[in-house]
């Protein structure tokens, strides 16, 4: 393989051969994935002392021009130099000179050439940098220190930010208006927002910038095959790397191999890429919103400059993107060959849901959320491995027997998302003979399964990584499984449980007894609602699994929306469980459509509407339990009188996944309100998708239940339920 750590600097942006410097693209792809970080530090990271000397030169030029008569009032550092993504050897940079004689964007376009000429004449009096190179309206100065060079461009510009203040929507309205007046090209005035660009990149950890260096080095290795390589495309790849980390990781100490695999995977999907940020501009102002939507609806790839909504830096020669796509595939293959098993990639979609038009929601689900056969086979293999272990190996020397194992969670219900392979297995044990024994003895069975699995993996060449439980008496064994039979790792939750229902298909008769015992225990002890929901895993699965495929696709869409917000919150608040959202989707469809072929945008809009109306929600089903007999009738009446929202688990009457004020529904409702302005719900210009008409409150009567009056002291007394939130009875 050769000594790749002895490689030199990256290819120069102007002249030079990458093969002379670092052995070419094949040289880079020979680096093993687990050695990439070492490669970056040894070959790509610039020398700090060299950068300090270059900083001194830049400051010297800045101070010289600031003290001149051409009234430069402020300078900003841009390009790779300003963003802190300088490659060792040779890199680009800009020095933006904000002059007070430019009072508008139009002034910059009309008189920039004059200021360029004056700056050129002024620099001729500088003792060191008196021979700048002029290329059209650009002045260039080469800064070189001990093997580190920066090609610095000097650009006079209008300052729209009032000396670095955060931009208002008025700034971007003026930008759009000026561009229309002077017929400026998209992104022509991006240089005016260099300060914002510098601030944008300062927010990211050093390790993210190391990943950017690796991507840039790879790009420069690819340049010799391009028809017209550009700094704009280089900037696009920097932004794509930031996007990959933001959407898929957000931790400072991440795996470089996972990061590069994610970026290369996004490049492979360049024809679907639509990347943007709303840190400096957003959809609130109508003019800015229309500008943004116009850009986001253009031909892919779209990678918007986070400081200038008119500047699509992803817009480039199609041949260049095609070449990068092919090179990305080659490198991904080499990473897989050099490391067994290959490092996983982060779950990052090339297109955000928020800007997906309503008529493309089904395509979005199919392309990005629907699991493929590879995923499903992966889960099946992993489940088979663990179920075989539980049945045949785990308790073979014990009096405890495995009565059955049941696959639960989203994979069992058919609502799993494409990425994030996870599997729940409920193992029903003969030694757990009651709810009480499950609560008391479950921790010891969790520990026993772990001990046996640790021994089992030694003989089966498996790799198991256990998650440390925060509970002293853990209810679940969480671990990650790797195997030669699996393409990637699978996350597992194994839950020991009491077989309350016995043989489920022996009939309905076992359920009243199971529920009666559960209610008695719930009333007489301090157990929380839903404590024993694992006992009813089959009922939960059977409630959703037979439903139409399109309904399960809508569940996937809502779960994706939820997970995106959950990631943005970074666990700052306790959000409602995903299962509550699944049940809301079911309820919305049952009461609003009921058709197998419905409008996905209408269904999505209805679910968000229910989230917004959370203080009124009272939802339950009567598929596994009902109001016909005591004590279930009295118990259910008590449950639906709780503080809203109330959403009862259709398999477990003690499980109120609405939770009243236990969860931060108000935060989810605020997010839902923001999404009402999404293009997801635009049907025609000036018209928006409307939700289905769905009642937010259910009563026993509305479900067809017959609640007969009771008798007290010889007089009939009707049953009255009080809605604490709405202040009315039913």
């Amino acid at each position: 393989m050769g000594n790749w750590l002895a490689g030199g600097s990256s290819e120069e942006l102007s002249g030079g051969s990458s093969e002379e410097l670092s052995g070419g693209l094949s040289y880079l792809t020979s680096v093993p994935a687990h050695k990439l970080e070492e490669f970056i530090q040894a070959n790509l990271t610039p020398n700090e002392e060299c950068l300090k000397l270059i900083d001194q030169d830049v400051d010297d030029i800045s101070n010289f021009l600031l003290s001149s008569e051409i009234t430069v009032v402020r300078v900003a550092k841009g390009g790779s130099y300003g963003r802190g993504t300088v490659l060792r050897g040779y890199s680009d940079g800009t020095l933006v000179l904000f002059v007070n004689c430019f009072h508008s964007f139009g002034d910059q376009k009309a008189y920039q050439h004059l200021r360029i000429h004056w700056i050129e004449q002024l620099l001729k009096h500088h003792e060191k940098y008196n021979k700048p190179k002029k290329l059209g309206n650009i002045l260039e100065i080469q800064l070189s220190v001990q093997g580190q060079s920066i090609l610095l461009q000097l650009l006079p510009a209008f300052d729209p930010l009032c000396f670095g203040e955060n931009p208002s929507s008025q700034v971007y309205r003026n930008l759009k208006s000026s561009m229309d007046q002077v017929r400026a090209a998209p992104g022509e005035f991006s240089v005016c927002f260099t300060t914002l660009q510098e601030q944008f990149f300062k927010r990211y950890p050093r390790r993210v910038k190391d990943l950017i260096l690796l991507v840039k080095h790879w790009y420069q290795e690819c340049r010799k095959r391009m028809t017209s390589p550009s700094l704009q495309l280089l900037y696009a790849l920097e932004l794509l790397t930031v996007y990959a980390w933001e959407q898929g990781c957000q931790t400072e100490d991440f795996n470089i191999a996972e990061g590069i695999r994610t970026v290369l995977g996004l490049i492979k999907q360049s024809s679907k890429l639509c990347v943007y940020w709303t840190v400096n501009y957003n959809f609130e102002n109508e003019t800015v919103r229309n500008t943004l939507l116009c850009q986001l609806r253009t031909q892919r790839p779209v990678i918007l400059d986070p400081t200038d909504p008119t500047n699509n830096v992803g817009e480039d020669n199609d041949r260049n993107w095609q070449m990068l796509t092919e090179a990305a595939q080659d490198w991904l293959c080499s990473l897989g060959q050099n490391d067994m098993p290959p490092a996983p990639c982060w779950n990052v979609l090339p297109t955000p849901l928020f800007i997906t038009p309503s008529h493309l929601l089904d395509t979005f689900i199919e392309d990005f959320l629907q699991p493929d056969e590879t995923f499903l086979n992966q889960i099946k293999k992993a489940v088979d491995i663990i179920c075989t272990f539980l049945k045949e190996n785990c308790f073979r020397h014990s009096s405890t027997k495995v009565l059955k194992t049941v696959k639960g969670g989203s994979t069992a219900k058919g609502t799993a998302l494409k990425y994030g392979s996870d599997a729940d297995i409920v193992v029903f044990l003969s030694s757990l003979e009651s709810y009480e024994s499950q609560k008391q003895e479950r921790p010891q069975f969790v520990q026993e399964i772990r001990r046996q699995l640790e021994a089992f993996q030694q003989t089966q060449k498996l790799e198991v990584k256990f998650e440390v439980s925060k509970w002293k008496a853990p209810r679940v064994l969480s671990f990650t499984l790797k195997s030669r039979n699996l393409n990637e790792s699978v996350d597992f939750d194994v839950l020991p449980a009491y077989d309350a229902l016995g043989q489920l298909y022996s009939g309905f008769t076992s359920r009243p007894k199971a529920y009666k015992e559960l209610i008695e225990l719930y009333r007489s002890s301090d157990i929380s609602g839903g404590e024993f929901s694992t006992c009813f895993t089959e009922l939960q699965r059977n409630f959703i699994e037979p439903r139409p495929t399109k309904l399960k696709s809508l569940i996937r869409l809502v779960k994706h929306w939820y997970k995106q917000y959950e990631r943005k919150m970074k666990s700052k608040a306790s959000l409602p469980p995903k299962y509550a959202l699944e049940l809301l989707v079911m309820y919305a469809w049952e009461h609003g459509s009921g058709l197998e072929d419905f409008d996905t945008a209408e269904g999505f809009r209805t679910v968000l509407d229910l989230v917004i109306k959370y203080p009124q929600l009272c939802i339950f089903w009567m598929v596994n339990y009902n109001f016909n007999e005591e004590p279930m009738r009295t118990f259910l009446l008590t449950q639906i009188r709780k503080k809203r929202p109330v959403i009862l688990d259709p398999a477990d009457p003690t499980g109120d996944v609405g939770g009243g004020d236990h969860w931060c529904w108000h935060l989810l409702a605020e997010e839902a309100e923001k999404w009402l302005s999404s293009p997801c719900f635009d049907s025609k210009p000036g018209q928006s998708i409307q939700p289905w008409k769905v009642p937010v409150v259910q009563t026993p009567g509305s479900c067809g239940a017959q609640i007969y009056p009771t008798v007290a002291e010889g007089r009939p007394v009707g049953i009255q339920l009080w809605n604490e939130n709405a202040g009315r009875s039913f």
Side-chain angles (χ1 to χ4, degrees):
M1 181 172 63
N3 183 13
W4 48 264
L5 285 178
S9 62
S10 302
E11 178 187 0
E12 296 189 2
L13 295 176
S14 175
S17 167
S18 64
E19 293 203 313
E20 293 172 3
L21 294 167
S22 57
L25 189 57
S26 61
Y27 195 86
L28 175 60
T29 56
S30 68
V31 180
H34 66 280
K35 293 286 188 179
L36 286 173
E37 183 174 357
E38 191 176 351
F39 176 83
I40 293 169
Q41 300 306 319
N43 294 272
L44 308 184
T45 306
N47 181 279
E48 289 297 326
E49 292 303 317
C50 290
L51 285 183
K52 287 180 181 179
L53 292 174
I54 287 177
D55 287 342
Q56 292 175 9
D57 283 347
V58 173
D59 290 342
D60 180 41
I61 295 170
S62 300
N63 292 332
F64 177 76
L65 294 175
L66 283 167
S67 62
S68 69
E69 60 184 18
I70 63 170
T71 58
V72 175
V73 294
R74 188 167 67 89
V75 298
K77 300 169 185 177
S80 297
Y81 174 69
R83 296 191 291 267
T85 58
V86 170
L87 276 167
R88 180 184 301 183
Y90 199 97
S91 203
D92 66 286
T94 59
L95 193 64
V96 181
L97 312 171
F98 294 105
V99 294
N100 63 3
C101 59
F102 291 169
H103 301 291
S104 66
F105 295 106
D107 286 350
Q108 176 177 318
K109 184 175 180 65
Y111 305 116
Q112 189 179 50
H113 66 288
L114 296 177
R115 286 302 171 196
I116 287 285
H117 175 73
W118 290 342
I119 294 170
E120 181 185 21
Q121 295 304 311
L122 189 65
L123 283 174
K124 289 181 179 180
H125 297 90
H126 193 283
E127 60 180 1
K128 187 175 181 181
Y129 298 106
N130 51 20
K131 294 181 180 179
K133 184 178 180 181
K134 186 177 181 182
L135 297 173
N137 283 340
I138 298 176
L139 282 179
E140 292 182 345
I141 294 176
Q142 184 86 23
L143 306 179
S144 298
V145 178
Q146 300 173 6
Q148 182 68 54
S149 295
I150 302 288
L151 184 62
L152 191 68
Q153 294 183 345
L154 276 62
L155 304 170
F158 162 62
D159 186 1
L161 301 177
C162 301
F163 299 96
E165 292 182 6
N166 291 331
S168 65
S169 58
Q170 184 62 45
V171 169
Y172 291 111
R173 289 201 301 270
N174 292 340
L175 170 65
K176 183 64 173 66
S177 176
S178 298
M179 290 181 67
D180 293 340
Q181 290 175 6
V182 302
R183 298 181 180 179
E188 185 168 339
F189 298 118
S190 292
V191 65
C192 301
F193 303 100
T194 298
T195 302
L196 297 181
Q197 196 180 97
E198 184 180 4
Q199 292 172 354
F200 178 82
F201 277 84
K202 276 184 178 179
R203 302 182 306 161
Y204 299 102
R206 177 66 252 177
R207 197 171 180 85
V208 174
K209 295 176 183 177
D210 286 345
L211 179 59
I212 289 174
L213 294 186
L214 185 61
V215 173
K216 290 175 68 172
H217 176 68
W218 170 75
Y219 167 76
Q220 293 190 3
E221 302 268 341
C222 297
R223 289 179 72 248
K224 60 183 177 12
R225 296 193 237 166
M226 293 184 176
T227 54
S228 55
S230 66
L231 286 175
Q232 176 171 288
L233 187 53
L234 190 65
Y235 180 38
L237 294 179
E238 290 192 38
L239 290 174
L240 191 61
T241 306
V242 168
Y243 173 78
W245 178 81
E246 273 189 338
Q247 296 295 312
C249 182
Q250 293 191 2
T251 59
E252 293 192 19
D253 186 21
F254 61 87
N255 185 301
I256 290 290
E258 293 180 4
I260 194 63
R261 284 177 63 86
T262 305
V263 175
L264 294 175
L266 289 172
I267 292 171
K268 280 180 56 183
Q269 302 179 80
S270 59
S271 62
K272 298 177 181 178
L273 278 179
C274 185
V275 175
Y276 68 100
W277 287 264
T278 55
V279 292
N280 292 303
Y281 49 79
N282 53 47
F283 293 89
E284 293 178 5
N285 177 266
E286 184 178 1
T287 300
V288 180
R289 172 185 168 86
N290 291 337
T291 302
L292 255 175
L293 291 178
C294 182
Q295 287 279 47
L296 298 175
R297 288 167 178 162
T298 56
Q299 182 178 347
R300 305 314 194 227
V302 172
I303 303 175
L304 289 191
D305 185 336
T307 69
D308 179 0
T310 73
N311 189 25
N312 175 18
V313 296
E315 186 176 17
D316 202 279
N317 189 307
D318 288 342
R319 284 188 173 183
N320 287 344
W321 276 109
Q322 180 60 35
M323 191 281 300
L324 288 178
T325 298
E326 294 170 0
Q329 179 60 43
D330 291 343
W331 195 5
L332 281 171
C333 291
S334 71
L335 287 172
Q337 293 168 358
N338 291 333
D339 282 71
M340 295 295 291
C345 61
W346 302 324
N347 175 19
V348 181
L349 300 185
T351 300
L353 173 60
F354 187 87
I355 54 91
T356 302
S358 57
H359 67 283
L360 293 180
L361 285 178
D362 290 328
T363 302
F364 181 92
I365 296 169
E366 182 178 351
D367 287 348
F368 304 128
L369 306 183
Q370 179 82 33
D372 55 23
E373 287 300 318
T374 301
F375 173 93
L376 297 176
N377 290 334
Q378 170 94 349
I379 293 292
K380 185 177 184 300
K381 288 178 182 178
V383 169
D384 287 345
I385 291 171
I386 299 303
C387 285
T388 299
F389 155 74
L390 290 169
K391 292 176 181 177
E392 300 179 4
N393 298 85
C394 193
F395 298 101
R396 61 182 174 177
H397 301 302
S398 168
S399 60
T400 297
K401 302 300 179 185
V402 175
L403 300 175
K404 59 184 175 182
T405 58
V406 175
K407 185 169 70 172
S410 58
T411 54
K413 291 179 285 191
T415 60
L417 293 170
K418 186 173 186 177
Y419 295 99
S421 306
D422 65 312
D424 294 346
I425 294 180
V426 181
V427 52
F428 294 94
L429 302 176
S430 61
S431 296
L432 300 179
E433 299 177 335
S434 65
Y435 297 113
E436 293 95 330
S437 66
Q438 173 174 319
K439 184 177 182 181
Q440 294 170 6
E441 300 173 37
R442 177 171 49 193
Q444 69 187 52
F445 282 109
V446 167
Q447 296 299 336
E448 177 63 16
I449 294 172
R450 173 170 180 166
R451 188 179 69 82
Q452 295 287 353
L453 188 55
E454 286 174 335
F456 180 72
Q457 68 172 319
Q458 302 299 324
T459 62
Q460 300 295 316
K461 295 184 179 180
L462 303 176
E463 182 181 338
V464 178
K465 182 180 180 181
F466 294 98
E467 180 181 312
V468 178
S469 176
K470 63 181 179 179
W471 307 104
K472 291 183 179 179
R475 305 175 180 181
V476 57
L477 178 63
S478 298
F479 59 92
T480 300
L481 175 71
K482 288 185 180 180
S483 166
R484 290 179 301 176
N485 297 323
L486 303 176
N487 296 325
E488 57 186 72
S489 62
V490 176
D491 294 329
F492 267 96
D493 283 340
V494 173
L495 307 98
Y498 157 53
D499 188 14
L501 296 175
Q503 294 300 314
L504 178 63
Y505 297 104
S506 63
F508 189 83
T509 54
S510 62
R511 297 182 206 176
K513 179 176 180 294
Y515 286 136
K516 182 179 180 180
E517 293 174 356
L518 177 64
I519 291 170
E520 289 175 353
L521 179 63
Y522 180 78
R523 285 174 165 169
S524 63
S525 64
D526 59 351
I527 67 170
S528 56
E531 168 86 17
F532 300 103
S533 62
T534 51
C535 300
F536 307 99
T537 297
E538 291 167 282
L539 298 183
Q540 290 178 335
R541 180 194 64 194
N542 295 345
F543 179 69
I544 294 179
E545 194 275 333
R547 306 294 179 134
T549 300
K550 192 164 186 177
L551 176 58
K552 288 186 274 191
S553 292
L554 177 58
I555 289 176
R556 287 191 180 93
L557 186 68
V558 173
K559 284 169 66 175
H560 172 71
W561 170 79
Y562 173 94
K563 290 182 73 173
Q564 292 297 107
Y565 180 62
E566 186 179 40
R567 179 180 298 156
K568 185 168 68 172
M569 290 299 297
K570 297 181 181 179
S571 302
K572 295 177 183 176
S574 184
L575 296 178
K578 288 193 295 292
Y579 187 39
L581 274 294
E582 289 191 36
L583 293 178
L584 274 186
V585 177
M586 293 289 297
Y587 179 76
W589 176 78
E590 287 177 343
H591 291 264
S593 172
L595 303 174
E596 291 195 14
D597 186 17
F598 57 88
D599 187 284
T600 300
E602 290 180 0
F604 187 23
R605 175 69 174 79
T606 305
V607 174
L608 295 188
D609 192 56
L610 290 174
V611 170
I612 292 169
K613 296 175 179 177
Y614 76 91
Q616 305 170 50
L617 291 179
C618 182
I619 296 171
F620 56 89
W621 287 265
M622 295 194 301
V623 293
N624 293 302
Y625 50 79
N626 53 50
F627 293 87
N628 290 347
E629 297 178 0
E630 292 289 355
M632 179 64 74
R633 172 170 52 215
T634 301
F635 179 74
L636 287 179
L637 292 174
T638 301
Q639 286 287 77
I640 62 179
R641 292 177 64 184
K642 286 183 175 180
K643 185 174 180 61
R644 310 290 171 78
V646 172
I647 305 173
L648 295 189
D649 184 340
D652 178 1
T654 71
D656 174 16
V657 295
D661 55 11
H662 182 70
W663 313 106
C664 295
W665 279 94
H666 65 286
L667 296 179
L668 208 59
E670 290 172 4
E671 181 72 1
E673 285 274 12
K674 295 176 183 176
W675 272 69
L676 298 186
S677 62
S678 164
C680 291
F681 308 121
D682 290 341
S683 57
K684 296 178 181 179
Q687 298 182 14
S688 59
I689 300 289
Q690 295 301 309
W692 297 324
K693 293 182 179 180
V694 175
V696 294
V697 174
Q698 279 186 295
T699 65
S702 68
C703 294
Q706 300 297 317
I707 304 297
Y708 298 101
T710 60
V711 176
E713 296 180 356
R715 303 191 311 274
V717 179
I719 294 177
Q720 187 177 55
L721 304 180
W722 181 256
N723 180 342
E724 298 176 33
N725 300 49
R728 63 179 185 273
S729 61
F730 55 82

